[in-house]
Amino acid sequence: MAEGCPLPALRLRAMEPEDLDFLYTIENDVDIWDVGMTNVPYSRYALHNYMANVSNDIYADRQVRLIVENGKGILVGMVDLVNFDPRHQRAEIGIVIGKEHRKKGFATAALGLLADYAASVLHIHQLYVVVSIDNEPSLRLFEKLGYRNGTVLKDWLFDGKNYHDAVLMQLFL
């Protein structure tokens, strides 16, 4: 997406049962396992149970997962607030945009909406993300959104063969 272009219209919404196939595809995409905490496949049954039992209350679940839809109602990705710490009012960010929707401004727009929601509704003081030092596109994205480098975490991420350093980036709301 070129600089200065308007961000795409989108909305964040709660997961619905019809999102199961998308969730299944994302959670079982081995190409993104090295940037997250997952390294085992999930069954549709396990994901169905997760969706059926999640309360969507960040205080009860310590996380909230939201679906990203474009202006036409097409599902383009997911954002998460995880590791929510109510005492210190901080949460970790997670985001996945479907391969066919990348580089169209959806991540920028979704993360902006998520930060607004975290600040105005959840009263979160700090969002943070852990990004592989090798993931230049994500590092640039979060820097553009005002996240600042906190520290380098040595050998933080393991891809199954090698350890990689990561950067802890923070945004104060």
Side-chain angles (χ1 to χ4, degrees):
M1 183 168 176
E3 284 294 318
C5 292
L7 293 175
L10 56 80
R11 73 180 185 118
L12 305 179
R13 64 164 175 80
M15 289 183 301
E16 297 290 348
E18 53 271 14
D19 300 326
L20 179 61
D21 287 339
F22 178 77
L23 187 60
Y24 179 81
T25 300
I26 293 298
E27 293 293 354
N28 291 295
D29 183 350
V30 296
D31 291 337
I32 60 175
W33 281 0
D34 62 336
V35 298
M37 297 298 137
T38 300
N39 64 357
V40 296
Y42 284 92
S43 69
R44 277 188 170 75
Y45 178 77
L47 293 171
H48 176 272
N49 284 344
Y50 164 75
M51 292 174 71
N53 293 307
V54 69
S55 71
N56 283 329
D57 177 351
I58 196 167
Y59 288 92
D61 298 333
R62 297 292 193 251
Q63 65 178 354
V64 65
R65 174 171 282 176
L66 300 168
I67 298 297
V68 180
E69 276 186 358
N70 71 12
K72 297 178 181 176
I74 296 169
L75 192 153
V76 298
M78 273 185 320
V79 291
D80 297 307
L81 291 173
V82 298
N83 298 323
F84 173 62
D85 184 330
R87 178 172 182 222
H88 300 292
Q89 290 298 297
R90 65 178 170 241
E92 184 176 357
I93 292 279
I95 183 166
V96 175
I97 300 296
K99 291 176 186 174
E100 66 277 16
H101 301 291
R102 292 180 188 160
K103 299 186 180 188
K104 296 178 182 176
F106 291 117
T108 301
L111 290 169
L113 287 175
L114 187 63
D116 290 345
Y117 172 72
S120 64
V121 176
L122 301 175
H123 308 292
I124 290 176
H125 169 67
Q126 176 184 166
L127 296 175
Y128 67 95
V129 63
V130 175
V131 180
S132 171
I133 207 155
D134 303 319
N135 188 343
E136 284 294 324
S138 290
L139 291 170
R140 281 193 308 273
L141 169 66
F142 284 102
E143 285 173 0
K144 179 174 74 171
L145 292 169
Y147 286 73
R148 296 295 167 240
N149 293 351
T151 190
V152 173
L153 304 168
K154 299 300 283 179
D155 289 349
W156 197 256
L157 301 171
F158 184 62
D159 66 9
K161 295 179 184 169
N162 299 299
Y163 288 93
H164 300 270
D165 294 349
V167 178
L168 172 68
M169 303 178 79
Q170 299 167 286
L171 177 69
F172 296 93
L173 305 173

